[in-house]
Amino acid sequence: MTLLLRASELIGLPVVTIDGGEDIAEVKDVVYGSEQGRVLGFTLNKRGLLHGHRREVLPIDQVSAIGKDAVMIADERSCLMRPDEAPAAVAEPDSNRDVLGDAVVTDAGVKLGVVRDLVLLVSGDGEAVGYELEREGTSETWFIPRPVQLAVSGDALVVPADVERFVRHDLVGFGAAVDEFRSEIGGAD
Amino acid sequence: MVTCKEALGRPVLSRSSAEKLGEVRHFVVDAGAQRVVELVVRGSRAEELVGWDDITGFGPDAVLVRTSSALREPASDTDKADAAGRRDPLGKRLLNDQGNGAGEVQDASFDEDTGILRSLTGDGVEVDASRIRGIGSYAVVVEASDEARALLG
């Protein structure tokens, strides 16, 4: 069984130290690398009532686990990084590399929708296993697995036409579709 | 074996003078050693700390400490945080190291002779104390069970 979550559900989650049990920050935004197909890191807010922006960022290789209730790290001192020591992709995210709002078109020329959210494995390493799509101007959404071969620009994502067979309308059923897609087509590794 | 919930509010008496010094208010648990290392006692004035080694008897009706001078006012930042319950597992979120929660810590059981913690109870789960990774003001972090890992594939 594969448990999935949307990247947007991570916003506001506490960042908790494993050995300290302290909530040292919370997720402000998820930095996604569309070429890598994975979360590159997080920008942070302070915890508490006033929760202002925190300068430090959290690169994905400093993350121990991304769960449904918290993002876990080993400790505050070594895991949070000042913007000048963190990878530039996380410290200064390029909005062009953010796939949200991009159109998804199959290589057969069919537009499947626009990207509304990323789908991640619960307790995974930040890899996106799929995308949640919507038709512009409607609230209807559905999910497609993320193929490994993918042409990405700031405007559109081109996916194999086969992806259409694995479209699911709920996140629960989508877990099985991702597994199936990967074994048949060879999705993202 | 006694549970934190049972022991909460239990009177704390001086063994040498028999005077009541206060009541058990919090437990200070060392996550690495998995044992209760201090108690926070609420007296007439404020919260004070007493080390486990100064406890001569942890009984069903009272906790006896060597003398009233065994109680100390919180001095360091660590002491102050402990006096406010930072390392008390009760009521904290129960999180595994994979970032998934199981509600709040409802209770914890420990050996009244040694202070060694045996288990934690969350919402419908019991976790062996040997799996504790960290205790802080936000959460008790425990190692994910094999079942939890298997479920995550």
Side-chain angles (χ1 to χ4, degrees), chain B residues 7 37 44 94 141:
Chain B
V37 290
S44 51
L94 185 58
V141 181

Side-chain angles (χ1 to χ4, degrees), chain A residues 30-128:
Chain A
V30 179
V31 181
Y32 180 66
S34 55
E35 276 149 26
Q36 298 89 334
R38 62 196 306 252
V39 172
L40 303 178
F42 302 100
T43 58
L44 305 171
N45 274 336
K46 290 172 187 151
R47 287 291 272 173
L49 221 52
L50 299 171
H51 51 226
H53 173 68
R54 234 189 124 140
R55 252 179 95 242
E56 298 94 331
V57 295
L58 177 59
I60 195 73
D61 55 5
Q62 301 297 326
V63 172
S64 301
I66 300 169
K68 60 181 172 54
D69 301 303
V71 173
M72 307 302 291
I73 63 170
D75 65 90
E76 180 170 7
R77 208 167 308 149
S78 67
C79 296
L80 297 198
M81 294 179 117
R82 291 203 320 263
D84 58 328
E85 48 186 18
V90 184
E92 296 154 45
D94 176 356
S95 57
N96 269 335
R97 298 272 72 88
D98 178 353
V99 292
L100 300 185
D102 287 1
V104 176
V105 181
T106 69
D107 53 11
V110 177
K111 184 176 170 185
L112 297 179
V114 299
V115 179
R116 173 197 163 106
D117 215 331
L118 311 167
V119 180
L120 311 175
L121 293 173
V122 171
S123 300
D125 58 1
E127 181 202 344

Side-chain angles (χ1 to χ4, degrees), chain A residues 1-3 14 16-23 47 64-72 121-124, chain B residues 31 86 93-102 133-142 150-153:
Chain A
M1 186 175 164
T2 311
L3 295 180
V16 179
T17 58
I18 290 177
D19 291 343
E22 298 292 338
D23 54 335
R47 287 291 272 173
S64 301
I66 300 169
K68 60 181 172 54
D69 301 303
V71 173
M72 307 302 291
L121 293 173
V122 171
S123 300
Chain B
R86 188 182 62 170
R93 286 160 194 81
L94 185 58
L95 265 187
N96 70 20
D97 54 10
Q98 299 297 303
N100 300 313
R133 298 285 310 271
I135 300 178
S137 56
Y138 182 74
V140 176
V141 181
V142 299
L151 189 66
L152 295 167

Side-chain angles (χ1 to χ4, degrees), chain B:
Chain B
M1 204 60 68
V2 62
T3 81
C4 288
K5 239 173 155 174
E6 287 164 6
L8 209 58
R10 211 167 269 186
V12 177
L13 307 178
S14 158
R15 185 180 157 210
S16 59
S17 68
E19 65 180 315
K20 184 179 170 186
L21 305 173
E23 292 171 351
V24 176
R25 174 80 179 95
H26 283 301
F27 303 86
V28 180
V29 173
D30 181 305
Q34 287 131 22
R35 54 178 290 244
V36 180
V37 290
E38 285 178 308
L39 295 179
V40 178
V41 178
R42 184 177 11 220
S44 51
R45 291 156 298 162
E47 267 85 15
E48 292 186 295
L49 296 157
V50 57
W52 188 266
D53 293 343
D54 285 316
I55 296 169
T56 58
F58 205 113
D61 303 308
V63 178
L64 277 293
V65 302
R66 221 174 288 284
T67 71
S68 60
S69 61
L71 264 60
R72 61 190 171 86
E73 279 179 43
S76 65
D77 286 350
T78 305
D79 278 357
K80 285 175 188 159
D82 283 341
R86 188 182 62 170
R87 288 194 283 167
D88 188 341
L90 284 186
K92 299 283 170 60
R93 286 160 194 81
L94 185 58
L95 265 187
N96 70 20
D97 54 10
Q98 299 297 303
N100 300 313
E104 284 184 357
V105 177
Q106 310 285 346
D107 210 348
S109 61
F110 62 94
D111 183 293
E112 56 267 65
D113 292 326
T114 61
I116 291 172
L117 221 59
R118 189 171 66 170
S119 65
L120 299 174
T121 316
D123 288 352
V125 290
E126 187 164 339
V127 180
D128 194 274
S130 63
R131 281 175 33 211
I132 295 174
R133 298 285 310 271
I135 300 178
S137 56
Y138 182 74
V140 176
V141 181
V142 299
E143 205 183 328
S145 64
D146 292 342
E147 304 90 80
R149 284 183 200 282
L151 189 66
L152 295 167

